[in-house]
Amino acid sequence: MAIMWRRSALAQRHAEIGGELEDWNGMGTAWFYDHSPERAKADYEAIRTKAGLMDVSGLKKVHVMGEHAAQVIDRVTTRNVEKIMPGRSTYASILNDQGKFVDDCIIYRLSVNSWMVVHGTGTGMEQLSTVAASKNCAVIFDDDLHDMSLQGPVAVDFLAQHIPGIRDLAYFGIIQTKLFGCPVMISRTGYTGERGYEIFCQAKDAMHLWDSILEGGKDMGIRPVQFSTLDLLRTESYLLFYPGDNSETYPFEGETCGDTLWELGLEFTVSPGKTGFIGAENHYAAEGKERFKIYGVILEGKTPADEGADLLQNGEKVGVVTFGMHSEVNNHNVGIARMPVDCAKPGTELTVRNGDGTEIAARAAEMPFYDQDKSIRTAKG
């Protein structure tokens, strides 16, 4: 039993609608409002066709402030932070000394010397704190700051009723404003592959904002969405989840945990030509030495791959499907898989074997399966 040392101000609301609070990142998180396939389908379809509201306060929010804040973040992450202007954010990776992936994050530049790094279950804060130790820089963990994610095609229409100019907010842009009388920071980010927004607020305002959004948006189809819905959305949108897609969950025999960005397909998170970040030399040296590749699979029929299903080629196990999903909305049955490099080519014939022994014909395919050109999540107006 994990010790849940963090508490969401929305825990009461989750409990009132049947939420089972399970540990994620030290916080009780509403993984399920109920375990029925009907609920899973309805929540998924809400975000793909209307909008859903989700409590993602389990993400760790870390303020990095002071004269040397930019240098600290530049050392810890793979992005060239000097190119991030106030009011903007970017997605980045964090590596260890061996050049292996240990966390991902979004870097927000709030003002000239004030930043926020939002990360998941990895060691991002530990690395920031270590690097900042000898610098003129404060690293402050902020659990008062809560994060609600409003995702889906009508999210912008709802917010436009309350926030002038929200339609002009660009992908990965940030605005400081108010919503239902409360001070908020809204970023055009998310983990769904949809046009969506994250609403950061004080803990004391979280319940008021949650209730107001759901009440004001119910006629538009906005509903509370359980956290587990993210697995369906992220799978078809090629958004990885640490450590669920990683060797921490699917270790190599006789090797310590750790995957390279080349193996995960996250090399794009390294700013071109950047050096000096933790693990940089080993990251570049690992190019072309991939032991496996994260790649997509398309399955025949409507039975999805189990989490951790065996991936076979010519009857022999060669990999694993980390997560699979079937979508009636998008008419596909797809999964994220760890497979040999020579299998990671479009059209490679494979077989998925679920836990009950069911075998499903499949083929390798490039990801993402949804919004392939990212035109939906980056749409303007």
Side-chain angles (χ1 to χ4, degrees), residues 364-377:
E366 292 184 350
M367 297 185 286
F369 304 104
Y370 175 74
D371 191 25
Q372 294 178 347
D373 60 359
K374 299 186 179 180
S375 59
I376 293 173
R377 68 191 82 174

Side-chain angles (χ1 to χ4, degrees), residues 304-326:
D306 290 343
E307 183 176 353
D310 292 340
L311 189 67
L312 312 178
Q313 185 181 41
N314 299 323
E316 297 293 327
K317 181 179 177 180
V318 295
V320 62
V321 180
T322 61
F323 209 88
M325 61 87 66
H326 171 258

Side-chain angles (χ1 to χ4, degrees), residues 72-91:
V72 169
I73 298 171
D74 196 62
R75 171 65 176 158
V76 171
T77 74
T78 56
R79 293 292 194 180
N80 180 355
V81 301
E82 288 296 315
K83 293 187 176 181
I84 307 171
M85 293 296 109
R88 295 290 301 165
S89 64
T90 194
Y91 176 66

Side-chain angles (χ1 to χ4, degrees), residues 17 39 41 48 58 75 79 88 94 139 141 147 156 176 191 197 206 232-233 247 258 272 307-308 329 346 372 379:
I17 53 178
R39 178 76 200 213
K41 182 175 184 289
R48 283 290 180 247
R75 171 65 176 158
R79 293 292 194 180
R88 295 290 301 165
I94 298 173
V139 176
F141 175 68
D147 183 2
V156 66
Q176 310 284 349
Y191 189 58
Y197 301 84
L232 305 175
L233 300 161
S247 56
E307 183 176 353
V329 172
Q372 294 178 347

